[in-house]
Amino acid sequence: LNRRHTRLTVGAVNVNTSELKYFDTREMSLSAAHIMASGALPPAFPAVCVDGEPYWDGGIYSNTPIEVVLDARPRRDALIFAVNMWQPRGTEPKSIWQVMGRQKDLQYASRGKSHVARQEQLHRLRHVVREMGKLVPEERREDPMFKELASYGCPSVMHLVRLLSPRLDGEDHTKDIDFTRAGIRTRWLAGHEHGMRVLSEKPWECDVDMLQGIVIHESQE
């Protein structure tokens, strides 16, 4: 893992400061404590100490923290798969258990959607800066001010495929803490089937707007 052939980033939230922290193999060596901290979901699991500070699962702060990928440097074209366990769309709940489940859906799915919307705006502006830079005369492009402003431009296009977790029979508001062998296997099989279907469809092979820095493909079972 720490040979850094493949980048791994995990997030955890500091219990004392409420700040989300990313542990990234590009910047540091990771240990079992970092991985355990990123999965220490309360109240089922206690906080895990890293460098003397207690951490919980970063999902309670940001359930799909894709900004760590979208903001990565150097910027380049990318195909990103984001797995979303919580459903943004649903029906009106009829029982207290359904209310609790739908509450979690709204709480976590809406936050992820707002993060993506903000990133769409940001990357579109980068493309706008790039196109505006092309209108500047050649003799002005060596100006230090122009170079600094032009550096905010970017030609990269990122295709973000949002995989929405399939709804399974019998699941309820405890699905985020269901670590039983049967529960994990059922979700693994459903996710594998869904993922293979999306790979065969290849929605990212499409024409895009020249100003579109992030292209969203939302795939739902």
Side-chain angles (χ1 to χ4, degrees), residues 3 10 13 20 72 81 83 185 201 204:
R3 292 178 181 177
V10 295
V13 63
L20 180 65
F81 294 89
V83 180
R185 179 169 176 77
E201 294 172 353
W204 50 88

mmCIF file of all heavy atoms in Angstrom, residues 3 10 13 20 72 81 83 185 201 204:
data_model
loop_
_atom_site.group_PDB
_atom_site.id
_atom_site.type_symbol
_atom_site.label_atom_id
_atom_site.label_comp_id
_atom_site.label_asym_id
_atom_site.label_seq_id
_atom_site.Cartn_x
_atom_site.Cartn_y
_atom_site.Cartn_z
ATOM 1 N N ARG A 3 3.817 1.650 -0.987
ATOM 2 C CA ARG A 3 4.730 1.788 -2.116
ATOM 3 C C ARG A 3 4.202 2.806 -3.121
ATOM 4 O O ARG A 3 4.904 3.216 -4.028
ATOM 5 C CB ARG A 3 4.921 0.432 -2.795
ATOM 6 C CG ARG A 3 5.681 -0.573 -1.931
ATOM 7 C CD ARG A 3 5.807 -1.908 -2.632
ATOM 8 N NE ARG A 3 6.517 -2.875 -1.796
ATOM 9 C CZ ARG A 3 6.716 -4.150 -2.139
ATOM 10 N NH1 ARG A 3 6.249 -4.597 -3.302
ATOM 11 N NH2 ARG A 3 7.362 -4.960 -1.326
ATOM 12 N N VAL A 10 -8.239 8.183 2.371
ATOM 13 C CA VAL A 10 -9.369 7.907 3.260
ATOM 14 C C VAL A 10 -9.624 9.145 4.109
ATOM 15 O O VAL A 10 -8.701 9.895 4.434
ATOM 16 C CB VAL A 10 -9.105 6.679 4.161
ATOM 17 C CG1 VAL A 10 -8.985 5.424 3.322
ATOM 18 C CG2 VAL A 10 -7.854 6.866 5.010
ATOM 19 N N VAL A 13 -13.145 12.288 10.444
ATOM 20 C CA VAL A 13 -13.455 13.574 11.056
ATOM 21 C C VAL A 13 -12.944 13.589 12.497
ATOM 22 O O VAL A 13 -13.133 12.632 13.251
ATOM 23 C CB VAL A 13 -14.973 13.867 11.003
ATOM 24 C CG1 VAL A 13 -15.770 12.848 11.792
ATOM 25 C CG2 VAL A 13 -15.271 15.272 11.481
ATOM 26 N N LEU A 20 -12.776 17.663 8.933
ATOM 27 C CA LEU A 20 -12.537 16.487 8.105
ATOM 28 C C LEU A 20 -11.079 16.479 7.668
ATOM 29 O O LEU A 20 -10.561 17.488 7.196
ATOM 30 C CB LEU A 20 -13.450 16.513 6.874
ATOM 31 C CG LEU A 20 -13.321 15.339 5.901
ATOM 32 C CD1 LEU A 20 -13.751 14.035 6.569
ATOM 33 C CD2 LEU A 20 -14.163 15.592 4.651
ATOM 34 N N ALA A 72 -7.657 17.443 -7.234
ATOM 35 C CA ALA A 72 -6.291 16.920 -7.267
ATOM 36 C C ALA A 72 -5.457 17.601 -8.351
ATOM 37 O O ALA A 72 -5.972 18.003 -9.395
ATOM 38 C CB ALA A 72 -6.310 15.411 -7.494
ATOM 39 N N PHE A 81 -15.728 7.048 -10.596
ATOM 40 C CA PHE A 81 -16.920 6.314 -10.175
ATOM 41 C C PHE A 81 -17.181 6.626 -8.701
ATOM 42 O O PHE A 81 -16.319 6.388 -7.852
ATOM 43 C CB PHE A 81 -16.733 4.809 -10.367
ATOM 44 C CG PHE A 81 -16.615 4.389 -11.806
ATOM 45 C CD1 PHE A 81 -15.377 4.344 -12.428
ATOM 46 C CD2 PHE A 81 -17.745 4.061 -12.538
ATOM 47 C CE1 PHE A 81 -15.257 3.966 -13.757
ATOM 48 C CE2 PHE A 81 -17.638 3.685 -13.872
ATOM 49 C CZ PHE A 81 -16.393 3.640 -14.482
ATOM 50 N N VAL A 83 -19.730 5.848 -5.617
ATOM 51 C CA VAL A 83 -20.791 4.949 -5.151
ATOM 52 C C VAL A 83 -21.580 5.645 -4.048
ATOM 53 O O VAL A 83 -21.015 6.069 -3.041
ATOM 54 C CB VAL A 83 -20.202 3.629 -4.630
ATOM 55 C CG1 VAL A 83 -21.322 2.716 -4.140
ATOM 56 C CG2 VAL A 83 -19.390 2.938 -5.725
ATOM 57 N N ARG A 185 -22.489 -9.351 1.684
ATOM 58 C CA ARG A 185 -22.469 -10.120 0.444
ATOM 59 C C ARG A 185 -23.613 -9.705 -0.487
ATOM 60 O O ARG A 185 -23.425 -9.579 -1.702
ATOM 61 C CB ARG A 185 -22.561 -11.620 0.742
ATOM 62 C CG ARG A 185 -22.578 -12.473 -0.525
ATOM 63 C CD ARG A 185 -22.412 -13.945 -0.243
ATOM 64 N NE ARG A 185 -22.527 -14.731 -1.462
ATOM 65 C CZ ARG A 185 -21.571 -14.839 -2.381
ATOM 66 N NH1 ARG A 185 -20.430 -14.196 -2.222
ATOM 67 N NH2 ARG A 185 -21.749 -15.576 -3.459
ATOM 68 N N GLU A 201 -22.464 -0.098 -20.729
ATOM 69 C CA GLU A 201 -23.168 1.012 -21.379
ATOM 70 C C GLU A 201 -22.223 2.148 -21.767
ATOM 71 O O GLU A 201 -22.478 2.877 -22.723
ATOM 72 C CB GLU A 201 -24.264 1.543 -20.444
ATOM 73 C CG GLU A 201 -25.391 0.544 -20.192
ATOM 74 C CD GLU A 201 -26.352 1.024 -19.116
ATOM 75 O OE1 GLU A 201 -26.059 2.067 -18.474
ATOM 76 O OE2 GLU A 201 -27.386 0.365 -18.904
ATOM 77 N N TRP A 204 -19.926 7.573 -20.578
ATOM 78 C CA TRP A 204 -18.931 8.643 -20.680
ATOM 79 C C TRP A 204 -18.422 8.840 -22.112
ATOM 80 O O TRP A 204 -17.729 9.802 -22.386
ATOM 81 C CB TRP A 204 -17.748 8.337 -19.762
ATOM 82 C CG TRP A 204 -17.204 6.951 -19.933
ATOM 83 C CD1 TRP A 204 -16.251 6.537 -20.819
ATOM 84 C CD2 TRP A 204 -17.613 5.791 -19.208
ATOM 85 N NE1 TRP A 204 -16.030 5.192 -20.693
ATOM 86 C CE2 TRP A 204 -16.851 4.703 -19.706
ATOM 87 C CE3 TRP A 204 -18.534 5.559 -18.188
ATOM 88 C CZ2 TRP A 204 -16.995 3.403 -19.212
ATOM 89 C CZ3 TRP A 204 -18.672 4.265 -17.705
ATOM 90 C CH2 TRP A 204 -17.911 3.211 -18.208
#
